[in-house]
Amino acid sequence: VLDRAIQDVSFEAADGHVKTNSTWLRSRFEWRLSSSWRLTNDAYWYDAARDWNAVDTFGFDSAASLVTRGVSGIEHDHGFYGNRLAVLADQRVLGRRNRLSFGVEVNHNDFFSPRRFGTGTSVDPFAPDRGTFPSEEPANFPGAGNAVDLTTTLNLVSVFVEDALTIAPRLTLVAGGRYDYFKMDRVAVDRNLAQETGFTRLFEPVSGRAGLVFDVAGRTQLFGQITSAVAPVSTVLVMSATNSRFELTSGRSVEGGIKSTLADGRVELTASVFDTKQDEILTRDPNNPNITIQGGTLASTGLINRDLLLKAKPTLRVINVARGGIVDEAALADCVRDGIIAGAALDVFAKE
């Protein structure tokens, strides 16, 4: 803190702002083909304009006794539309109830994002002349990478199937699969270098799940399932050329738990234990920490995991005297050490 007298002083540009405007339209059509078969079609369209002009980095020039400022201007012009067609059936198979759905989804993304990064004027910390945000001309944001226009086009075609077969009076087998054809085209124009770069990537992942659901009583079920999935290594719409060379990450999850619906469907409670693993994540090269490589693994086990702990209040204290493995012990130790939660006491452990 330079001086507590200026802790509430704003060094933001006078016209700095964050604006967003979005429109979402959706239509649904349903046609009952017979008493047990029906067809549904969902069409959707989304348009968004986002604008971020702000001073987002600050420093102090001790020689001049001035606050230095870095500015960022980012715009998003995002259009997204698609259609999902599905056929659903609820009928008897060998005397057992069977619920089947299958279909295809097609969607298209157009994303344009001018991005400007530069240095604003320095200001007096006690009487700042905040000024205005620089105009978007590339000359106001000199240097490679500081005035870039990004254009991304995404096309996705997906085929999916889901099935739930009652194999015993209160026991249901569920399974599903999905195939995606995913093509991305990306162009980046550096206005300062008058240089255009780009890439095209094509992915064809397959994912699925299988599990069992047991109706205990009323609206309470026990469940267990195994799931496989894929995900990109970074946000697709703004994926860098460097990250474009990496493949999709793959993951699997084993989960079991209980789910109950109360108060005429107004309240839904779920508790579960799980073991998840994600492969081919980005990590540092052990031989050269300055190089990013693909091949790392991220895993989580338990009922209380890192994601849940990171959302907790700092006054939380975790006490486990029930069973080892319920708590992700490594994540718990990290959160206690980093002050994210107040403390922990364990009488049981995953390995004893």
Side-chain angles (χ1 to χ4, degrees), residues 150-184:
L150 303 179
T151 302
T152 304
T153 302
L154 306 177
N155 289 290
L156 174 69
V157 179
S158 303
V159 179
F160 56 88
V161 60
E162 292 277 345
D163 191 74
L165 175 64
T166 301
I167 56 178
R170 292 192 293 170
L171 185 63
T172 301
L173 172 67
V174 295
R178 181 183 179 99
Y179 162 79
D180 293 300
Y181 175 93
F182 178 78
K183 184 180 180 183
M184 173 176 59

Side-chain angles (χ1 to χ4, degrees), residues 13 15 53 71-72 116 118-121 132-137 140-141:
D15 59 347
N53 279 359
V71 298
S72 295
R116 305 291 185 261
T119 302
T121 57
T132 58
F133 196 86
S135 60
E136 293 187 2
E137 285 77 12
N140 292 324
F141 304 91

Side-chain angles (χ1 to χ4, degrees), residues 164-349:
L165 175 64
T166 301
I167 56 178
R170 292 192 293 170
L171 185 63
T172 301
L173 172 67
V174 295
R178 181 183 179 99
Y179 162 79
D180 293 300
Y181 175 93
F182 178 78
K183 184 180 180 183
M184 173 176 59
D185 295 294
R186 176 70 176 278
V187 176
V189 178
D190 191 314
R191 297 300 182 184
N192 289 325
L193 301 181
Q195 183 180 71
E196 179 179 308
T197 59
F199 60 85
T200 297
R201 283 303 312 264
L202 175 64
F203 302 104
E204 297 184 79
V206 176
S207 56
R209 71 184 184 102
L212 292 169
V213 178
F214 179 72
D215 292 323
V216 179
R219 296 186 175 184
T220 300
Q221 299 90 30
L222 296 175
F223 67 89
Q225 66 176 358
I226 300 174
T227 305
S228 67
V230 295
V233 296
S234 64
T235 304
V236 175
L237 290 176
V238 293
M239 180 181 289
S240 67
T242 300
N243 284 346
S244 70
R245 71 181 190 273
F246 298 119
E247 299 300 323
L248 299 174
T249 67
S250 61
R252 65 106 181 105
S253 173
V254 180
E255 182 180 13
I258 184 171
K259 180 178 180 180
S260 186
T261 303
L262 309 173
D264 295 326
R266 294 190 296 271
V267 178
E268 185 175 285
L269 301 177
T270 302
S272 65
V273 293
F274 56 86
D275 181 90
T276 62
K277 184 179 180 181
Q278 186 176 7
D279 294 318
E280 300 302 323
I281 66 171
L282 300 187
T283 187
R284 296 295 181 182
D285 187 334
N287 298 316
N288 186 349
N290 295 318
I291 298 177
T292 299
I293 60 174
Q294 188 171 28
T297 296
L298 180 66
S300 180
T301 302
L303 177 62
I304 301 176
N305 65 353
R306 187 180 302 275
D307 289 341
L308 187 61
L309 291 169
L310 291 175
K311 298 175 183 177
K313 294 182 178 180
T315 55
L316 174 70
R317 288 177 170 83
V318 176
I319 300 175
N320 183 22
V321 295
R323 182 175 62 82
I326 293 178
V327 180
D328 184 334
E329 296 166 6
L332 180 64
D334 290 343
C335 290
V336 172
R337 183 189 64 244
D338 296 340
I340 295 173
I341 63 173
L346 304 181
D347 187 49
V348 289
F349 300 88

Side-chain angles (χ1 to χ4, degrees), residues 26 56 59 113 298 337:
R26 184 168 184 171
D56 55 4
S113 178
L298 180 66
R337 183 189 64 244

